Amino acid sequence: MKSRMVQLLPMIRFGIVGLVNTGVDYIIFMLLAWGGVPVIVAQIISYSCGTANSYILNSKWTFNKQLSNDTNKRQLPKFIIINLIVLGITSLLLQVLHTGTELPLALGKLIATAAGMIINYIGSRYWVFGSPSRKESEFL
């Protein structure tokens, strides 16, 4: 039982960090959108705010990495790349949902964010912060 919890812990922590970052992203996005900032610009600003917090919390807490300068130099570029990819995908999806459907902007933002979270977890877990051990990958 303890072994299974150890295996699930990174996913649980990632989810908690994700909720915090999603809240920051969503609140900033909605405030900017209500203030008349174009959707894509609001998305870039709000996503960037959540991303900065995400790197710190996920690297130190979720994936239990003690960051040496060498580790940080390897992880940070990967983190930036995966988040630029997610930003591009979520921005495109948000724009399509906003202009191509009658969904409320707030719901479109939630859908785009959910899609981004899946991509971000996979990229963070297996590329940015290292791949899991063989035992963990068998469990997943």
Side-chain angles (χ1 to χ4, degrees), residues 19-50:
L19 288 174
V20 170
N21 298 331
T22 300
V24 168
D25 175 18
Y26 189 79
I27 290 167
I28 291 172
F29 176 82
M30 293 310 296
L31 289 172
L32 291 170
W34 287 330
V37 175
V39 170
I40 296 299
V41 174
Q43 172 68 0
I44 291 169
I45 292 168
S46 66
Y47 186 84
S48 297
C49 291

Side-chain angles (χ1 to χ4, degrees), residues 17 51-62 67 79 129:
V17 171
T51 299
N53 186 53
S54 175
Y55 180 74
I56 294 165
L57 291 179
N58 279 320
S59 65
K60 292 185 180 198
W61 186 58
T62 303
L67 295 179
F79 181 82
F129 299 109

Side-chain angles (χ1 to χ4, degrees), residues 6-7 125-126 130-140:
V6 169
Q7 293 171 337
R125 179 74 174 123
Y126 295 100
S131 58
S133 69
R134 182 181 168 121
K135 259 187 173 176
E136 280 183 284
S137 64
E138 289 171 2
F139 175 77
L140 295 174

Side-chain angles (χ1 to χ4, degrees), residues 27-122:
I27 290 167
I28 291 172
F29 176 82
M30 293 310 296
L31 289 172
L32 291 170
W34 287 330
V37 175
V39 170
I40 296 299
V41 174
Q43 172 68 0
I44 291 169
I45 292 168
S46 66
Y47 186 84
S48 297
C49 291
T51 299
N53 186 53
S54 175
Y55 180 74
I56 294 165
L57 291 179
N58 279 320
S59 65
K60 292 185 180 198
W61 186 58
T62 303
F63 300 113
N64 293 321
K65 299 290 182 181
Q66 298 299 323
L67 295 179
S68 67
N69 283 338
D70 187 48
T71 302
N72 192 34
K73 286 178 186 175
R74 285 191 318 266
Q75 288 179 352
L76 188 56
K78 290 178 179 181
F79 181 82
I80 291 168
I81 290 168
I82 196 69
N83 277 283
L84 286 173
I85 291 167
V86 172
L87 176 59
I89 292 168
T90 58
S91 296
L92 179 63
L93 182 57
L94 181 60
Q95 186 66 33
V96 167
L97 291 171
H98 179 64
T99 60
T101 71
E102 293 186 17
L103 288 176
L105 181 59
L107 181 58
K109 173 66 174 165
L110 288 175
I111 292 168
T113 299
M117 287 176 74
I118 294 166
I119 298 164
N120 198 333
Y121 178 80
I122 293 167

